[in-house]
Amino acid sequence: MGKNLIRCIEGTRDYFDLDGARFGKAMKAADHVFTAYGYSQIHTPVFEATELFARGIGEATDIVEKEMYTFKPGSDMITLRPEGTAGVIRAFLQHSMHKQGGLNKLWYSGPMFRRERPQKGRQRQFHQVGVEAVGSSDPLLDAEVIAMGLQFYAAVGITGIRTRLNSIGCSAPECRAKYRETLREAIRPNLDKFCKNCQNRFDRNVLRLLDCKNPSCKELAANLPKSHEHVCGECADHFGKVTEALDAFGVDYVIDPTLVRGLDYYTKTVFEYTHSALGAQDAIGGGGRYDGLVEELGGPSIPAVGFAIGVERVMIAMETLGACCCTAPLMVYGIAAGDEEHKAMSGLLARLRRAGVSCDMDFEGKSFKAQMRTAGRRGALIALILGSNELETGQITVKDMREDGGQSTVPLSQMQEAIEALVTVG
RNA sequence: GCGGGAGUAGCUCAGUUGGUUAGAGCGUCAGAUUGUGGCUCUGAAGGUCGGGGAUUCGAGUUCCCUCUCUCGCCCCA
């Protein structure tokens, strides 16, 4: 450590052992759950034209203003994706997916990059699994997406997720724009009572005053007009249908008028999943409807809903809940008494592996005893012992490594049966 | 970008008011009868005390700088 070793970049991490297993479990759960809802997988590039994010996420957002990794290797401006939705929609349009059929359900996973100060649950390279359902404005779809996210958390063993829900309206003049005005009017008399930050945001982005974490601002915000009660008739109707569907699904949620979210593209439904294990950043996933994004990126007007889940935050919750998985156990460890046996053993293991039995052996020239010890430490269910006795008579010793297991020496032709007998019984 | 805390063996940490060859537990490796693990015992390896500079006869210990980690602010996953 004292040497001039090269370390990973600030805010990035290596995952191995239990972390590797947790990460893998999250990926498997995503595949399993999202597939069950009819989503297919999409992988888009990690970098895209800078303009895509500027237009998609919004020029005035923190992400675009100060958190993007942007490069100019040649004449093009490219940036490492800070979120997944923009890239998916870009791909959707580039391949004219909307012309091939109605609703497209896509899910993705992969690294995202944001140049923020690292802290608990926040890194500069982090991972998300996310879904985008493009091509329907059905409120039932919003509800399905929300329920699916909860099913994902359940699949990785996370309990205690809190779902917050709100509607922030649409781009119609009598909807969000009008709500903004009523909000400003309600705030104006008391503006000096809000924190500095909020006063600055009053003109630029009033909605942000709603989710300020400053306690006194929070108190003031509680009495302000609520967005889901001031959106236009269509949005109000949509929101009502979403909550109705969630109730029918038996989904537990809270309507939170202060839920705003930081990306510009959201319309109507917004939601966030939070968990108490996470510390200051308690959002473990979030999403909403974005009916204007496809058009904003140069396509036709196509509605969509989606969410993104932070894999690292999922891993933190898994760890604190003890929902972690153990690494898969090794079934067989091969122990060889000498050079000839060592060679023969590698052939035997190759056969077993083709039959789907996980096995390993020593490659460091360890003593017989040390090989036994390794077999025990590795948690192998069975030790296969091959010494000169066995080699001469064409046999193999199969030893049950569990507490009071025995061992038996059988002809090589019966090795597999002997192993299977122990594994299936156990 | 701005604050608080921390950096001593692979891991978790001790290290007294600055004083000889920097310690423990766990882990690793090797032994304890010839080919049998887990328990026990014995031994070994492994640290320019994050890096650089300053003060001092002498610094893991004091001071400054820097890097990184960590927790917050901001914002988000």
Short mmCIF file of all heavy atoms in Angstrom, two decimals, chain A residues 179 183 186-187 190 194 198 206-230 255-260:
data_model
loop_
_atom_site.label_atom_id
_atom_site.label_comp_id
_atom_site.label_asym_id
_atom_site.label_seq_id
_atom_site.Cartn_x
_atom_site.Cartn_y
_atom_site.Cartn_z
N TYR A 179 -49.67 25.66 -12.35
CA TYR A 179 -49.38 25.28 -10.96
C TYR A 179 -48.17 26.03 -10.44
O TYR A 179 -48.15 26.50 -9.30
CB TYR A 179 -49.16 23.77 -10.87
CG TYR A 179 -48.64 23.34 -9.51
CD1 TYR A 179 -49.42 23.52 -8.36
CD2 TYR A 179 -47.39 22.77 -9.36
CE1 TYR A 179 -48.94 23.16 -7.11
CE2 TYR A 179 -46.90 22.40 -8.12
CZ TYR A 179 -47.68 22.59 -7.00
OH TYR A 179 -47.22 22.23 -5.78
N LEU A 183 -48.10 28.34 -7.20
CA LEU A 183 -47.10 28.07 -6.17
C LEU A 183 -46.31 29.33 -5.84
O LEU A 183 -46.12 29.69 -4.67
CB LEU A 183 -46.16 26.97 -6.66
CG LEU A 183 -45.32 26.22 -5.64
CD1 LEU A 183 -46.21 25.61 -4.56
CD2 LEU A 183 -44.50 25.13 -6.32
N ALA A 186 -48.31 31.70 -3.84
CA ALA A 186 -48.46 31.26 -2.45
C ALA A 186 -47.19 31.50 -1.65
O ALA A 186 -47.24 31.76 -0.45
CB ALA A 186 -48.83 29.78 -2.42
N ILE A 187 -46.06 31.40 -2.31
CA ILE A 187 -44.79 31.52 -1.62
C ILE A 187 -44.38 32.98 -1.44
O ILE A 187 -43.86 33.37 -0.39
CB ILE A 187 -43.68 30.78 -2.39
CG1 ILE A 187 -43.91 29.27 -2.30
CG2 ILE A 187 -42.30 31.11 -1.84
CD1 ILE A 187 -43.05 28.44 -3.22
N ASN A 190 -44.09 34.97 1.76
CA ASN A 190 -43.21 34.42 2.79
C ASN A 190 -41.81 34.09 2.27
O ASN A 190 -41.04 33.40 2.96
CB ASN A 190 -43.81 33.13 3.36
CG ASN A 190 -45.09 33.41 4.11
OD1 ASN A 190 -45.17 34.38 4.85
ND2 ASN A 190 -46.08 32.57 3.90
N PHE A 194 -37.82 31.56 3.63
CA PHE A 194 -37.15 30.37 3.09
C PHE A 194 -35.63 30.55 3.11
O PHE A 194 -35.13 31.68 3.21
CB PHE A 194 -37.62 30.10 1.65
CG PHE A 194 -38.98 29.47 1.57
CD1 PHE A 194 -40.14 30.23 1.64
CD2 PHE A 194 -39.10 28.08 1.42
CE1 PHE A 194 -41.39 29.64 1.57
CE2 PHE A 194 -40.35 27.49 1.34
CZ PHE A 194 -41.50 28.26 1.41
N CYS A 198 -33.33 28.29 -1.48
CA CYS A 198 -34.69 28.29 -2.01
C CYS A 198 -35.01 29.63 -2.68
O CYS A 198 -35.68 29.68 -3.70
CB CYS A 198 -35.69 28.01 -0.90
SG CYS A 198 -35.77 26.26 -0.46
N VAL A 206 -39.25 26.73 -9.18
CA VAL A 206 -40.03 26.80 -7.92
C VAL A 206 -40.31 25.44 -7.34
O VAL A 206 -40.38 25.29 -6.12
CB VAL A 206 -41.44 27.40 -8.12
CG1 VAL A 206 -41.70 28.46 -7.10
CG2 VAL A 206 -41.70 27.78 -9.52
N LEU A 207 -40.52 24.45 -8.20
CA LEU A 207 -40.91 23.14 -7.70
C LEU A 207 -39.89 22.60 -6.70
O LEU A 207 -40.22 21.87 -5.78
CB LEU A 207 -41.05 22.14 -8.86
CG LEU A 207 -42.13 22.46 -9.90
CD1 LEU A 207 -42.24 21.33 -10.91
CD2 LEU A 207 -43.48 22.67 -9.23
N ARG A 208 -38.66 23.03 -6.89
CA ARG A 208 -37.59 22.54 -6.03
C ARG A 208 -37.74 22.99 -4.58
O ARG A 208 -37.19 22.35 -3.68
CB ARG A 208 -36.24 22.98 -6.57
CG ARG A 208 -35.79 22.15 -7.72
CD ARG A 208 -34.55 21.34 -7.32
NE ARG A 208 -34.49 20.09 -8.03
CZ ARG A 208 -34.95 18.95 -7.56
NH1 ARG A 208 -35.48 18.87 -6.38
NH2 ARG A 208 -34.88 17.86 -8.27
N LEU A 209 -38.45 24.09 -4.37
CA LEU A 209 -38.64 24.54 -3.00
C LEU A 209 -39.43 23.51 -2.19
O LEU A 209 -39.34 23.45 -0.98
CB LEU A 209 -39.40 25.89 -2.92
CG LEU A 209 -38.94 27.17 -3.61
CD1 LEU A 209 -38.99 28.32 -2.63
CD2 LEU A 209 -37.62 27.07 -4.27
N LEU A 210 -40.18 22.71 -2.91
CA LEU A 210 -41.02 21.74 -2.24
C LEU A 210 -40.22 20.65 -1.53
O LEU A 210 -40.60 20.16 -0.48
CB LEU A 210 -41.98 21.08 -3.24
CG LEU A 210 -43.08 21.97 -3.80
CD1 LEU A 210 -43.81 21.25 -4.90
CD2 LEU A 210 -44.03 22.37 -2.69
N ASP A 211 -39.09 20.25 -2.13
CA ASP A 211 -38.36 19.14 -1.52
C ASP A 211 -37.07 19.57 -0.85
O ASP A 211 -36.16 18.78 -0.67
CB ASP A 211 -38.13 18.01 -2.54
CG ASP A 211 -37.10 18.38 -3.60
OD1 ASP A 211 -36.81 19.58 -3.74
OD2 ASP A 211 -36.61 17.47 -4.28
N CYS A 212 -37.00 20.86 -0.47
CA CYS A 212 -35.84 21.33 0.27
C CYS A 212 -35.78 20.59 1.60
O CYS A 212 -36.81 20.34 2.23
CB CYS A 212 -35.93 22.83 0.52
SG CYS A 212 -34.49 23.48 1.40
N LYS A 213 -34.54 20.22 2.02
CA LYS A 213 -34.43 19.42 3.24
C LYS A 213 -34.29 20.28 4.49
O LYS A 213 -34.34 19.77 5.60
CB LYS A 213 -33.28 18.44 3.12
CG LYS A 213 -33.69 17.23 2.30
CD LYS A 213 -32.51 16.36 1.92
CE LYS A 213 -32.93 15.33 0.89
NZ LYS A 213 -31.87 15.04 -0.07
N ASN A 214 -34.09 21.56 4.29
CA ASN A 214 -34.02 22.47 5.42
C ASN A 214 -35.32 22.39 6.24
O ASN A 214 -36.41 22.55 5.70
CB ASN A 214 -33.84 23.89 4.85
CG ASN A 214 -33.60 24.90 5.94
OD1 ASN A 214 -34.30 24.92 6.93
ND2 ASN A 214 -32.59 25.71 5.75
N PRO A 215 -35.21 22.12 7.55
CA PRO A 215 -36.41 21.88 8.37
C PRO A 215 -37.43 23.00 8.30
O PRO A 215 -38.64 22.75 8.19
CB PRO A 215 -35.85 21.76 9.79
CG PRO A 215 -34.41 21.45 9.62
CD PRO A 215 -33.97 22.00 8.31
N SER A 216 -36.98 24.25 8.35
CA SER A 216 -37.96 25.34 8.35
C SER A 216 -38.63 25.47 6.98
O SER A 216 -39.81 25.79 6.88
CB SER A 216 -37.29 26.65 8.76
OG SER A 216 -36.32 27.03 7.82
N CYS A 217 -37.87 25.20 5.91
CA CYS A 217 -38.47 25.21 4.58
C CYS A 217 -39.50 24.10 4.45
O CYS A 217 -40.57 24.27 3.86
CB CYS A 217 -37.40 25.02 3.50
SG CYS A 217 -36.22 26.37 3.40
N LYS A 218 -39.14 22.97 5.05
CA LYS A 218 -40.05 21.82 5.00
C LYS A 218 -41.39 22.18 5.62
O LYS A 218 -42.44 21.85 5.10
CB LYS A 218 -39.44 20.65 5.81
CG LYS A 218 -38.92 19.52 4.94
CD LYS A 218 -38.40 18.40 5.83
CE LYS A 218 -38.03 17.19 5.00
NZ LYS A 218 -37.20 16.24 5.71
N GLU A 219 -41.29 22.86 6.75
CA GLU A 219 -42.51 23.25 7.46
C GLU A 219 -43.36 24.18 6.60
O GLU A 219 -44.57 24.00 6.48
CB GLU A 219 -42.11 23.99 8.74
CG GLU A 219 -42.91 23.58 9.96
CD GLU A 219 -42.28 24.15 11.21
OE1 GLU A 219 -41.31 23.56 11.73
OE2 GLU A 219 -42.75 25.21 11.64
N LEU A 220 -42.70 25.16 5.98
CA LEU A 220 -43.41 26.09 5.12
C LEU A 220 -44.01 25.38 3.91
O LEU A 220 -45.14 25.67 3.49
CB LEU A 220 -42.45 27.20 4.65
CG LEU A 220 -41.97 28.17 5.73
CD1 LEU A 220 -40.77 28.94 5.26
CD2 LEU A 220 -43.10 29.11 6.12
N ALA A 221 -43.23 24.41 3.38
CA ALA A 221 -43.66 23.71 2.16
C ALA A 221 -44.90 22.87 2.42
O ALA A 221 -45.72 22.63 1.52
CB ALA A 221 -42.53 22.84 1.62
N ALA A 222 -45.06 22.43 3.65
CA ALA A 222 -46.18 21.53 3.97
C ALA A 222 -47.53 22.19 3.71
O ALA A 222 -48.51 21.50 3.41
CB ALA A 222 -46.08 21.09 5.44
N ASN A 223 -47.57 23.50 3.82
CA ASN A 223 -48.86 24.18 3.66
C ASN A 223 -49.09 24.76 2.27
O ASN A 223 -50.09 25.44 2.03
CB ASN A 223 -48.97 25.30 4.70
CG ASN A 223 -48.87 24.76 6.11
OD1 ASN A 223 -49.49 23.74 6.42
ND2 ASN A 223 -48.08 25.40 6.94
N LEU A 224 -48.16 24.50 1.38
CA LEU A 224 -48.29 25.05 0.03
C LEU A 224 -49.28 24.21 -0.78
O LEU A 224 -49.54 23.06 -0.46
CB LEU A 224 -46.92 25.05 -0.66
CG LEU A 224 -45.92 26.04 -0.05
CD1 LEU A 224 -44.54 25.82 -0.65
CD2 LEU A 224 -46.38 27.47 -0.27
N PRO A 225 -49.82 24.82 -1.83
CA PRO A 225 -50.74 24.06 -2.69
C PRO A 225 -50.06 22.81 -3.25
O PRO A 225 -48.88 22.86 -3.60
CB PRO A 225 -51.10 25.04 -3.81
CG PRO A 225 -50.27 26.26 -3.59
CD PRO A 225 -49.72 26.22 -2.22
N LYS A 226 -50.80 21.72 -3.29
CA LYS A 226 -50.21 20.44 -3.69
C LYS A 226 -50.38 20.21 -5.19
O LYS A 226 -51.46 20.43 -5.74
CB LYS A 226 -50.89 19.32 -2.92
CG LYS A 226 -51.12 19.67 -1.45
CD LYS A 226 -50.74 18.54 -0.56
CE LYS A 226 -50.94 18.85 0.93
NZ LYS A 226 -50.36 20.10 1.41
N SER A 227 -49.30 19.75 -5.82
CA SER A 227 -49.32 19.65 -7.28
C SER A 227 -50.39 18.68 -7.77
O SER A 227 -51.08 18.98 -8.73
CB SER A 227 -47.95 19.24 -7.80
OG SER A 227 -47.65 17.90 -7.46
N HIS A 228 -50.55 17.56 -7.11
CA HIS A 228 -51.51 16.59 -7.65
C HIS A 228 -52.96 17.09 -7.54
O HIS A 228 -53.85 16.54 -8.16
CB HIS A 228 -51.34 15.21 -7.00
CG HIS A 228 -51.75 15.16 -5.56
ND1 HIS A 228 -50.89 15.53 -4.54
CD2 HIS A 228 -52.91 14.80 -4.97
CE1 HIS A 228 -51.51 15.37 -3.38
NE2 HIS A 228 -52.73 14.94 -3.61
N GLU A 229 -53.14 18.16 -6.75
CA GLU A 229 -54.49 18.74 -6.66
C GLU A 229 -54.67 19.92 -7.61
O GLU A 229 -55.77 20.46 -7.73
CB GLU A 229 -54.76 19.20 -5.22
CG GLU A 229 -54.94 18.02 -4.27
CD GLU A 229 -54.87 18.43 -2.80
OE1 GLU A 229 -54.67 19.64 -2.53
OE2 GLU A 229 -54.99 17.53 -1.95
N HIS A 230 -53.59 20.34 -8.27
CA HIS A 230 -53.68 21.49 -9.15
C HIS A 230 -53.35 21.20 -10.60
O HIS A 230 -53.31 22.09 -11.42
CB HIS A 230 -52.76 22.62 -8.65
CG HIS A 230 -53.31 23.30 -7.43
ND1 HIS A 230 -53.29 22.73 -6.18
CD2 HIS A 230 -53.93 24.50 -7.29
CE1 HIS A 230 -53.84 23.55 -5.31
NE2 HIS A 230 -54.25 24.62 -5.95
N ILE A 255 -48.81 9.16 -0.95
CA ILE A 255 -48.79 10.31 -1.85
C ILE A 255 -47.99 11.41 -1.18
O ILE A 255 -48.28 11.79 -0.05
CB ILE A 255 -50.22 10.80 -2.17
CG1 ILE A 255 -50.94 9.71 -2.97
CG2 ILE A 255 -50.16 12.11 -2.96
CD1 ILE A 255 -52.40 10.03 -3.25
N ASP A 256 -46.94 11.85 -1.85
CA ASP A 256 -46.06 12.84 -1.26
C ASP A 256 -46.00 14.08 -2.16
O ASP A 256 -45.32 14.09 -3.17
CB ASP A 256 -44.66 12.24 -1.10
CG ASP A 256 -43.71 13.20 -0.42
OD1 ASP A 256 -44.08 14.39 -0.27
OD2 ASP A 256 -42.62 12.78 -0.04
N PRO A 257 -46.72 15.14 -1.77
CA PRO A 257 -46.80 16.34 -2.61
C PRO A 257 -45.44 17.02 -2.78
O PRO A 257 -45.28 17.85 -3.67
CB PRO A 257 -47.75 17.25 -1.84
CG PRO A 257 -48.37 16.41 -0.78
CD PRO A 257 -47.44 15.28 -0.51
N THR A 258 -44.47 16.67 -1.94
CA THR A 258 -43.16 17.33 -2.05
C THR A 258 -42.22 16.58 -2.99
O THR A 258 -41.10 17.01 -3.23
CB THR A 258 -42.48 17.46 -0.67
OG1 THR A 258 -42.10 16.15 -0.24
CG2 THR A 258 -43.41 18.08 0.34
N LEU A 259 -42.68 15.44 -3.49
CA LEU A 259 -41.82 14.67 -4.40
C LEU A 259 -41.79 15.35 -5.76
O LEU A 259 -42.81 15.49 -6.43
CB LEU A 259 -42.36 13.24 -4.53
CG LEU A 259 -41.60 12.33 -5.49
CD1 LEU A 259 -40.17 12.14 -5.02
CD2 LEU A 259 -42.29 10.99 -5.62
N VAL A 260 -40.62 15.78 -6.18
CA VAL A 260 -40.51 16.53 -7.42
C VAL A 260 -39.60 15.85 -8.44
O VAL A 260 -39.93 15.70 -9.58
CB VAL A 260 -39.98 17.96 -7.14
CG1 VAL A 260 -39.78 18.68 -8.44
CG2 VAL A 260 -40.98 18.70 -6.27
#
